[in-house]
Amino acid sequence: MRTYSLAYLTAGALTPAAMLRLAAELGYAHVGLRLLPNGPGGPFQAWLDDPVQQRETLAAQRDTGVGVFDLEIIRIGEGFDPLAYRPLLEAGAALRAKALLVAGDDTDEARLVEGYARLCELAAPYGLSCDLEFMPWTAVPDARAALRVVQAAGTPRAAGILVDALHVGRSSTTLDDLRALPRELLHYAQICDAPGGPDLTVPQMIHTARCERQLPGEGVIDLAGIFAALPADLPISVEVPHQVRVARLGQTAWARAALAASRSALE
């Protein structure tokens, strides 16, 4: 049986506690939280410095039995210091999270490898994997690059690679590239769909990724091929942001539709 996680981008306007309760209502087993912004001024859930939210979130976990799967986001760029992320790691331990979502922004690959290795070393005692997500506009644009970075880092105990269907569909990643990823590096994958567009600009790709994805089955991404190339028991993060449709349908109806479409595509 697949397990599903309600990703931050699908319901990011909610507090962590509200996300947990919505997930329980709809049948998600986990949620993903963004406790740090993805860039200067970016949206996030201000949990780390809010004792009230912390108490409410832990209470919602106890009440619902829904877990926290992944925490966002760690970006490895020039000048990266993994120690600056210790509060996020401590939050992961408190929430019994499983994974950290990591983006690679440093175009100096040797330095990126070093930073990733240091992060993995720091995260391992907290029981967190460091799942490097390839995105076509970053310094880790495809699955081959992600595997190269992880292997160059020595494939540390906390290493991982995150496969997002959107980025498979819009990068040079092939199904053979996915099949080549070692099973021990795969902890979860993200599902969504999107329209075609071979000549998308970087701003267009980023806008779709953050604001306007489609429900699985509505677009042209080869979801059947992608998920057949991945382990059948891999937990699935349902990451389907669409600001216009959420505003029209409401958060609950959208999260319900996203889960139903994901199950239809995979089961």
Side-chain angles (χ1 to χ4, degrees), residues 143-154:
R144 296 183 302 280
L147 183 58
R148 186 173 64 247
V149 168
V150 168
Q151 291 177 334

Side-chain angles (χ1 to χ4, degrees), residues 220-232:
V220 301
I221 296 175
D222 181 14
L223 297 179
I226 290 169
F227 287 94
L230 297 172

Side-chain angles (χ1 to χ4, degrees), residues 19 74 91 96 130-131 152 156 159 170 183 200 204 219 221 241 253 265:
M19 280 189 69
I74 295 178
R96 301 187 302 280
C130 299
D131 292 74
R170 297 191 165 181
R183 177 63 180 90
L200 292 173
Q204 287 171 329
I221 296 175

Side-chain angles (χ1 to χ4, degrees), residues 8 34 36-45 75 210:
Y8 164 79
R34 178 174 288 177
L36 292 174
N38 63 349
F44 70 107
Q45 294 157 313
R75 308 197 78 100
R210 296 177 181 175

Side-chain angles (χ1 to χ4, degrees), residues 4-5 7 9-10 28 133-137 162-170 189-196 205-227 230 235-242 245 254 257-266:
Y4 296 87
S5 178
L9 281 177
T10 306
Y28 291 90
E133 181 176 12
F134 58 90
M135 297 175 250
W137 59 85
L162 175 57
V163 176
D164 182 332
L166 179 68
H167 304 323
V168 176
R170 297 191 165 181
Q190 294 174 327
I191 191 170
C192 70
D193 215 333
M205 286 193 287
I206 292 175
H207 174 78
T208 297
R210 296 177 181 175
C211 306
E212 203 170 351
R213 303 192 192 197
Q214 292 181 325
L215 296 173
E218 291 183 340
V220 301
I221 296 175
D222 181 14
L223 297 179
I226 290 169
F227 287 94
L230 297 172
I236 302 299
S237 172
V238 179
E239 188 175 62
V240 194
H242 199 297
R245 294 171 77 176
W254 180 251
L259 179 58
S262 299
R263 283 176 164 160
S264 178
L266 298 178

Side-chain angles (χ1 to χ4, degrees), residues 82-227:
L83 292 175
Y85 292 90
R86 191 182 293 277
L88 185 65
L89 306 187
E90 293 172 347
L95 294 165
R96 301 187 302 280
K98 301 176 184 297
L100 301 168
L101 192 155
V102 181
D105 290 334
D106 196 335
T107 55
D108 183 326
E109 189 164 299
R111 192 169 55 203
L112 173 59
V113 166
E114 179 187 9
Y116 180 74
R118 290 168 58 212
L119 176 64
C120 287
E121 181 180 7
L122 184 65
Y126 292 88
L128 293 161
S129 61
C130 299
D131 292 74
L132 183 61
E133 181 176 12
F134 58 90
M135 297 175 250
W137 59 85
T138 68
V140 186
D142 52 42
R144 296 183 302 280
L147 183 58
R148 186 173 64 247
V149 168
V150 168
Q151 291 177 334
T155 316
R157 177 162 59 96
I161 293 175
L162 175 57
V163 176
D164 182 332
L166 179 68
H167 304 323
V168 176
R170 297 191 165 181
S171 71
S172 61
T173 300
T174 67
L175 297 183
D176 284 341
D177 293 335
L178 299 181
R179 297 184 191 102
L181 297 175
R183 177 63 180 90
E184 62 270 18
L185 295 178
L186 297 171
H187 304 112
Y188 69 120
Q190 294 174 327
I191 191 170
C192 70
D193 215 333
D199 300 317
L200 292 173
T201 65
V202 167
Q204 287 171 329
M205 286 193 287
I206 292 175
H207 174 78
T208 297
R210 296 177 181 175
C211 306
E212 203 170 351
R213 303 192 192 197
Q214 292 181 325
L215 296 173
E218 291 183 340
V220 301
I221 296 175
D222 181 14
L223 297 179
I226 290 169
F227 287 94

